[in-house]
Amino acid sequence: MKKIILSILLLLVLAGGGTAYYFLKVKTYDISQDAKLQEIVADEDYDIVLPPQQDSPIEATGPQTENGGVSEQAPNDDSNSTSTNGTAKPGVTAETIKGKYRPSFESLESQANGKINALVGRAIGEYKEKKASGEKISFSYFLSKYKTAGEALEAKTDQAFNKIYGALQEDLKVHGFDPNEAAEFRSAYEAEKKARRNALLSSAMEKM
């Protein structure tokens, strides 16, 4: 029975709840009432490190002079650049720009995994504490509390991702590339969220 309850709980928490959450009409839980949960979800922000912007683009109308004017030197035509408007610096491609941001996305993924593991660990730990003390296990309590925490954590993770993603899109744009070149990171991020939920559910079940 314990595994059945917790598997349903974790599935709802990690997979977003869906129709079951709607029909149960679970209230939002104030996570500030749980210091450990607050620490996992709200107290510590993600450490976002963006790559240095060293590759300044060369404008199509010519490079700017120190006083803000434009020199008569024509911009270089680089065959390795896939720029659509000729503003990319020689040797800079959409792929090289995206490559600069991969460590930032990978760092965010690692931090997100750590936070979600901590969240699941807290849910399992609290369940075991209540069980050991003989306290009645309330399904709606756990669902409300950890669904709220899961949504708060996912929102914070999305916000961090969007900051990196927006910086990448802007970097592509100023170098003359289509910002949609960054779309692969968005697709990967959404796929990783689904895979992470499934993996964590299996991990949680093994620990019960």
Side-chain angles (χ1 to χ4, degrees), residues 142-185:
F142 273 89
L143 178 57
S144 171
K145 183 174 183 177
Y146 289 96
K147 180 69 166 57
T148 300
E151 287 178 339
L153 182 56
E154 185 164 290
K156 177 173 283 191
T157 307
D158 287 345
Q159 185 178 30
F161 170 83
N162 288 331
K163 182 175 181 179
I164 302 172
Y165 189 73
L168 169 56
Q169 286 189 309
E170 182 62 23
D171 206 350
L172 287 165
K173 184 178 179 180
V174 298
H175 284 88
F177 300 105
D178 186 351
N180 288 327
E181 289 275 1
E184 64 182 83
F185 290 98

Side-chain angles (χ1 to χ4, degrees), residues 5-126:
I5 292 175
L6 277 181
S7 63
I8 295 174
L9 166 65
L10 289 172
L11 183 61
L12 287 168
V13 170
L14 297 175
T19 304
Y21 180 73
Y22 174 80
F23 283 109
L24 285 171
K25 298 181 179 179
V26 179
K27 296 180 180 180
T28 300
Y29 181 88
D30 182 4
I31 59 176
S32 65
Q33 297 179 28
D34 186 324
K36 293 182 179 179
L37 202 58
Q38 176 77 4
E39 182 179 354
I40 295 170
V41 176
D43 286 351
E44 191 173 337
D45 290 326
Y46 285 104
D47 182 17
I48 301 174
V49 180
L50 296 175
Q53 304 300 308
Q54 296 177 340
D55 298 318
S56 57
I58 298 177
E59 298 296 336
T61 55
Q64 288 190 338
T65 61
E66 185 175 344
N67 62 5
V70 178
S71 74
E72 295 181 358
Q73 180 182 353
N76 291 322
D77 181 14
D78 181 57
S79 59
N80 292 326
S81 172
T82 58
S83 169
T84 58
N85 60 14
T87 61
K89 188 174 182 179
V92 176
T93 67
E95 289 303 317
T96 60
I97 294 174
K98 288 188 286 184
K100 294 192 306 178
Y101 287 83
R102 292 188 191 280
S104 297
F105 286 115
E106 291 169 356
S107 174
L108 175 61
E109 180 184 2
S110 177
Q111 293 178 67
N113 284 337
K115 285 179 176 291
I116 295 177
N117 277 320
L119 179 61
V120 173
R122 174 60 183 154
I124 295 174
E126 184 176 10

